[in-house]
Amino acid sequence: MVKLELRELTFSHAPDRPPLFKKLDFCVEPQTCSLLATPLGSGKSTFFKLLCGLYPQFGGQITNGGVFLEGQPLEQIVPFERAKRIGMLFQDPDKRFCMATLDQQLTFVLENLQLPADQITAKKQHILQELELTSLKDRQLSTLSGGQKQQAALACVLATESEIILLDEPFANVDPTSKNKLLKLLLKLKKQGKTFIIADHDPSGYQDLLDFAYRFNADHSRLIKFNLSRSTLASPVPLRWQPLKPGKLTWKQLSLTRSNKLLLKPHDLTLPKGQLGLLSGANGVGKSSLFQALCTLIPYQGNLSYAGQRPPRFFKQRWAKKVGLMLQEATAQFSCATVQEELALVSQNTLAPHYWTKERFFYAKQALGLTELAHHSVYQLSGGQQQKLQFLSVLAMGQPVLLLDEPFANLDQASIQTCLTLLKDSCRAEQTTVLLTSHQRVGITEHLDYELILEEQTLKLGGYQT
Ligand SMILES: Nc1ncnc2c1ncn2[C@@H]1O[C@H](COP(=O)(O)OP(=O)(O)OP(=O)(O)O)[C@@H](O)[C@H]1O
Ligand SMILES: [Mg+2]
């Protein structure tokens, strides 16, 4: 059985930067599943890149110790051999694909492992069936929903059949039913001899798979084993919903079709204001598409209005002042180079200057840990830091309707709670209409007032009434 170890590893991203890890020891027990539950920006993605040999080959430097696979220094193993033995799923789904379709991407991945053609075909077929992705294999990857992309990326990693598999936030954007199905598949693979190390800030559903949970100590010199309580591992309770208050964003006979697939049958609703709503539903059901339609970014049938006014045909920016959208992919939405520039733009242009005063904006920046990142490039931030920056940028623009598409997908619990407090405070004070999607429910649903479930092309109220 393959053993992967860090021995007294000291690593820094650049010679003039202090080391991120100091004399760190870690040993991956074969045929186990370890969960890394560390706070945001604490270096878990760096840690993973070290474990699979991308660092220091493509960045940073090791000044003490090293990474060893069965006692052999990792850098002495040729890259394709290394990739065969250690598979890695990166956090950012859009950076994972270089081919147009999943079928082509799987071929590319398996060809890189220098497998013969007949094995490639068999492995592709097997993994597509295991993950129930066969129907998506020839679709353009860029047109898949967030969760479909995530599952496609997972398929590419599992197809390599590496003995050790590292997964960085593998279920971000994946719906709870698919997550449970995938966790069962990982358990099956573990029983067949695979070893998993997973970074996930949402440990719900892991009870059968998990052997160890780890977090870093304060100076990153040790990974500490700790116990996750059964209640943390269990699935969350359904949401209790409050009676809906009247609002201003209304649709009548709204229906949606995409890629020749009906996503929503004609439907009527007025979204409440001063309340936080959850839009839920399986991957690919049409949640992001509904948000895009409500922002008039994609075509829809039927009527949409805000306080009785239809979206203007021309002057589209007028509608953008009513309805704000946080996209599912955080990096797609930045307009400036640094954190400070991005935030200054928002602060100067907010539509709610009486609420988003300089003091309140300053406080929010501090609370989200963005103050000390002011001079960083937005593209050098960790996935979670980018998401917090985007969250504040959208929130502080102050539109009366806010649609947030998976705003918490890359965040740890502490950050989620800070975001929810900021969101709740502004929603109650400004009586804004807030609808968000989140496949993760732990620590979130208890703050929400109602749930809309998109299922069988229709929207229904979910949970139970208080
Ligand atoms: N740009 C696009 N072009 C064509 N089809 C698309 C495009 N984006 C999404 N689709 C398809 O439309 C359907 C709905 O996708 P959508 O992104 O709205 O789902 P979703 O409910 O947000 O899913 P997820 O939970 O995975 O985020 C899916 O079948 C998806 O593959
Ligand atoms: Mg989506």
Side-chain angles (χ1 to χ4, degrees):
M1 292 264 183
V2 182
K3 200 166 169 180
L4 185 62
E5 275 176 294
L6 295 188
R7 287 190 212 144
E8 299 215 326
L9 179 114
T10 304
F11 173 84
S12 54
H13 279 288
D16 56 347
R17 297 259 293 272
L20 181 60
F21 304 121
K22 284 179 225 139
K23 296 206 163 183
L24 182 65
D25 286 316
F26 179 64
C27 178
V28 184
E29 319 264 350
Q31 214 179 340
T32 58
C33 175
S34 307
L35 184 76
L36 202 58
T38 59
L40 268 184
S42 63
K44 69 176 167 50
S45 297
T46 306
F47 178 71
F48 274 136
K49 286 179 188 162
L50 277 160
L51 280 179
C52 70
L54 282 177
Y55 287 155
Q57 191 182 357
F58 297 108
Q61 54 177 16
I62 292 177
T63 51
N64 191 70
V67 187
F68 299 86
L69 186 64
E70 283 177 333
Q72 190 182 8
L74 205 55
E75 68 263 26
Q76 287 179 7
I77 305 171
V78 290
F80 93 88
E81 197 55 50
R82 217 162 53 198
K84 242 186 200 171
R85 300 168 75 180
I86 309 172
M88 160 94 185
L89 175 83
F90 294 97
Q91 188 173 4
D92 186 346
D94 271 352
K95 292 195 187 127
R96 296 172 188 152
F97 306 120
C98 53
M99 307 304 278
T101 67
L102 174 56
D103 188 66
Q104 290 167 1
Q105 183 70 29
L106 280 168
T107 308
F108 173 79
V109 167
L110 296 169
E111 274 177 359
N112 274 344
L113 299 182
Q114 307 192 359
L115 295 179
D118 55 333
Q119 271 194 36
I120 292 182
T121 311
K123 282 194 186 210
K124 271 197 315 195
Q125 222 173 10
H126 176 70
I127 199 68
L128 287 167
Q129 272 167 6
E130 282 277 24
L131 273 77
E132 296 173 24
L133 293 173
T134 310
S135 63
L136 298 181
K137 77 180 174 57
D138 296 317
R139 287 266 308 273
Q140 293 288 309
L141 283 162
S142 60
T143 68
L144 298 185
S145 77
Q148 288 169 337
K149 272 187 204 160
Q150 184 81 8
Q151 294 189 47
L154 198 53
C156 294
V157 178
L158 297 181
T160 62
E161 296 181 5
S162 312
E163 292 139 293
I164 298 176
I165 298 171
L166 315 174
L167 305 172
D168 194 354
E169 302 292 348
F171 306 116
N173 295 312
V174 174
D175 68 66
T177 313
S178 304
K179 177 175 174 180
N180 282 337
K181 192 184 71 193
L182 291 167
L183 283 168
K184 283 204 180 87
L185 173 63
L186 298 193
L187 181 63
K188 185 170 112 185
L189 294 173
K190 187 178 93 167
K191 286 183 179 156
Q192 288 168 4
K194 305 279 181 228
T195 304
F196 292 99
I197 308 174
I198 307 179
D200 194 336
H201 52 261
D202 174 11
S204 60
Y206 276 82
Q207 58 273 29
D208 297 331
L209 179 68
L210 202 63
D211 296 293
F212 309 107
Y214 293 94
R215 58 184 159 76
F216 288 114
N217 70 343
D219 73 347
H220 282 91
S221 55
R222 283 176 56 211
L223 272 162
I224 303 166
K225 265 187 199 170
F226 69 102
N227 290 325
L228 283 161
S229 65
R230 284 214 76 85
S231 61
T232 326
L233 293 165
S235 297
V237 290
L239 189 139
R240 267 182 276 167
W241 55 274
Q242 310 289 331
L244 303 191
K245 296 177 187 166
K248 292 184 177 166
L249 186 78
T250 297
W251 59 79
K252 289 209 168 86
Q253 295 297 294
L254 182 81
S255 69
L256 265 183
T257 303
R258 209 163 195 188
S259 303
N260 294 323
K261 194 171 129 192
L262 178 68
L263 298 177
L264 180 68
K265 291 183 208 154
H267 185 265
D268 295 353
L269 189 72
T270 297
L271 284 183
K273 61 176 188 173
Q275 289 177 304
L276 304 176
L278 174 70
L279 174 64
S280 60
N283 290 140
V285 81
K287 301 175 300 296
S288 300
S289 302
L290 177 62
F291 278 2
Q292 288 158 22
L294 297 179
C295 293
T296 71
L297 297 174
I298 59 165
Y300 58 89
Q301 287 77 48
N303 293 330
L304 183 61
S305 63
Y306 181 83
Q309 302 277 316
R310 296 269 184 89
R313 267 191 163 193
F314 304 107
F315 305 113
K316 293 233 174 202
Q317 64 275 27
R318 286 195 197 150
W319 190 254
K321 287 188 176 172
K322 301 287 181 233
V323 187
L325 171 66
M326 176 171 168
L327 294 172
Q328 195 165 3
E329 277 120 28
T331 40
Q333 221 169 347
F334 295 123
S335 35
C336 294
T338 69
V339 174
Q340 191 169 22
E341 287 165 6
E342 191 71 31
L343 290 175
L345 194 72
V346 176
S347 165
Q348 283 154 17
N349 293 294
T350 176
L351 298 162
H354 50 277
Y355 183 81
W356 284 105
T357 56
K358 287 222 152 42
E359 291 72 32
R360 186 167 271 130
F361 197 69
F362 181 80
Y363 167 77
K365 233 167 40 175
Q366 285 272 15
L368 291 169
L370 296 172
T371 313
E372 57 270 27
L373 300 171
H375 300 291
H376 282 62
S377 153
V378 293
Y379 299 103
Q380 278 173 352
L381 304 180
S382 75
Q385 288 164 338
Q386 282 181 341
Q387 205 156 17
K388 288 198 282 185
L389 173 62
Q390 201 206 348
F391 174 82
L392 181 58
S393 305
V394 173
L395 183 66
M397 270 315 290
Q399 284 103 330
V401 180
L402 261 190
L403 307 173
L404 307 171
D405 204 355
E406 289 290 336
F408 310 126
N410 289 303
L411 301 190
D412 57 29
Q413 254 321 318
S415 305
I416 292 175
Q417 296 311 313
T418 309
C419 287
L420 276 166
T421 306
L422 293 170
L423 184 63
K424 220 152 98 174
D425 288 350
S426 72
C427 169
R428 304 283 194 248
E430 292 290 280
Q431 288 294 296
T432 44
T433 292
V434 178
L435 190 60
L436 58 90
T437 65
S438 175
H439 290 301
Q440 181 184 338
R441 299 174 76 94
V442 176
I444 296 173
T445 42
E446 55 265 42
H447 296 278
L448 306 179
D449 302 305
Y450 68 99
E451 176 173 8
L452 288 173
I453 304 177
L454 181 53
E455 195 172 50
E456 293 165 357
Q457 297 106 25
T458 183
L459 280 164
K460 307 171 199 155
L461 268 173
Y464 58 93
Q465 194 168 6
T466 44

